[in-house]
Amino acid sequence: MTMNPLRTTRTLVASATAVVLALGSASLAHGAVPAGHDDGEEITIGIKFDQPGIGLKTPDGTYTGFDVDVATYVAKELGHDPDQIVWKEAKSADRETMLQRGDVDFIAASYSINDERAEKVDFAGPYLLAHQDVLIRADDDSIKQPSDLNDKRLCSVTGSTSAQNVKDEIAPDAQLQEYGGYSECLTGLENGVIDALTTDDSILAGYAAQEEFEGKFKLGGFELSNENYGIGVQKGSDLKDKINTALEKMVEDGSWDAAVEKNFGPANYQNEPAPKIGVIVE
């Protein structure tokens, strides 16, 4: 949350009130627990709701995915049981604002660390190294290399850097389409309105592994970028160091490997080893 006079007794009272409010706001801006979470029990965590294998809200109201497992482990290390977690959807375009406003305690939502975002929020991690790739229809043989994306209808979501990376660096003539969520891109891809969906290979693998899409899509196999997933917290928050400690423990006790196998194993996703905390792969 961005937070950023005395002549009579009445003015003194008003000023004192203003000071108290300002101090409370300043405390929040420097890493205090967001409003509504000061009872030491509930914790609010931002995740994706529409990314199978990463963060998915199921029809029965439960939550699954690698980010969900990581966030649940971290929350436990912070002193919160799973039933004390309040899950909140964190769309790509909303993540920095949600943290700055104090809507969530932290965000684990396929949140790639980059310089622009790091000016607004702090990151713990990274906890996963992914690579940008493309998902195409299984019967589409026209996209065999990254440059083949020129003149193709390329989809990603608003607030994501993936599609713009392709247009800026790889296929300048690609027709960029931005939707509100990856599920919308996927529907367009399935219906032929979109030629390729681009984002991180971990996310794409999660979609391709879903039973209803079996045999319909394939990964391009292009490693177009390195995406260092971090856990976002408010700027200056003391949660950063605590989360880093939890992530290190998760790797050491084998829980990280178990979460990878559980969520990505069915898609034969060839994941990178667990990254070292604070080491960003360019």
Side-chain angles (χ1 to χ4, degrees), residues 121-147:
V121 302
D122 282 344
F123 285 100
Y127 64 92
L128 182 72
L129 176 60
H131 303 287
Q132 185 181 343
D133 200 353
V134 296
L135 191 70
I136 57 180
R137 288 181 292 277
D139 60 357
D140 187 350
D141 295 324
S142 66
I143 302 175
K144 297 179 180 178
Q145 56 189 0
S147 61

Side-chain angles (χ1 to χ4, degrees), residues 25-248:
S25 297
S27 175
L28 177 56
H30 287 82
V33 178
H37 305 288
D38 56 0
D39 56 6
E41 295 180 0
E42 259 188 12
I43 185 169
T44 302
I45 303 173
I47 58 170
K48 290 297 178 67
F49 278 13
D50 66 344
Q51 292 181 354
I54 297 289
L56 180 69
K57 183 178 182 180
T58 66
D60 64 2
T62 58
Y63 302 88
T64 65
F66 182 71
D67 283 352
V68 175
D69 290 343
V70 170
T72 301
Y73 187 100
V74 168
K76 183 178 180 180
E77 291 301 304
L78 294 176
H80 304 276
D81 292 331
D83 62 0
Q84 295 172 329
I85 298 174
V86 176
W87 300 107
K88 183 168 287 192
E89 185 173 20
K91 294 184 177 181
S92 295
D94 299 334
R95 291 175 296 200
E96 287 84 42
T97 301
M98 291 176 70
L99 288 169
Q100 291 171 330
R101 286 195 312 230
D103 295 343
V104 291
D105 293 282
F106 67 81
I107 289 179
S110 54
Y111 203 179
S112 297
I113 302 170
N114 63 34
D115 292 340
E116 181 180 354
R117 291 168 178 166
E119 290 179 359
K120 302 174 183 177
V121 302
D122 282 344
F123 285 100
Y127 64 92
L128 182 72
L129 176 60
H131 303 287
Q132 185 181 343
D133 200 353
V134 296
L135 191 70
I136 57 180
R137 288 181 292 277
D139 60 357
D140 187 350
D141 295 324
S142 66
I143 302 175
K144 297 179 180 178
Q145 56 189 0
S147 61
D148 291 335
L149 293 168
N150 279 307
D151 298 320
K152 297 293 186 181
R153 294 163 296 185
L154 180 66
C155 188
S156 194
V157 303
T158 304
S160 171
T161 59
S162 299
Q164 195 64 50
N165 285 345
V166 172
K167 190 168 178 63
D168 289 346
E169 307 292 338
I170 297 162
D173 293 327
Q175 300 174 35
L176 182 59
Q177 307 286 328
E178 291 186 310
Y179 290 171
Y182 291 109
S183 56
E184 297 173 48
C185 286
L186 198 68
T187 299
L189 181 62
E190 186 177 17
N191 296 336
V193 176
I194 298 298
D195 297 310
L197 161 58
T198 185
T199 187
D200 306 342
D201 52 7
S202 56
I203 298 171
L204 298 176
Y207 281 124
Q210 297 302 291
E211 186 175 349
E212 70 249 49
F213 298 130
E214 186 174 356
K216 292 184 178 181
F217 306 119
K218 62 184 178 183
L219 286 165
F222 312 145
E223 292 188 1
L224 302 176
S225 69
N226 294 318
E227 303 297 333
N228 300 268
Y229 285 7
I231 292 181
V233 298
Q234 283 185 344
K235 201 74 175 173
S237 173
D238 60 0
L239 278 180
K240 175 180 175 178
D241 290 339
K242 295 176 182 179
I243 292 173
N244 279 337
T245 298
L247 292 174
E248 289 172 342

Side-chain angles (χ1 to χ4, degrees), residues 5-18:
L6 298 164
R7 284 196 295 261
T8 66
T9 302
R10 185 182 309 166
T11 305
L12 283 169
V13 171
S15 298
T17 302

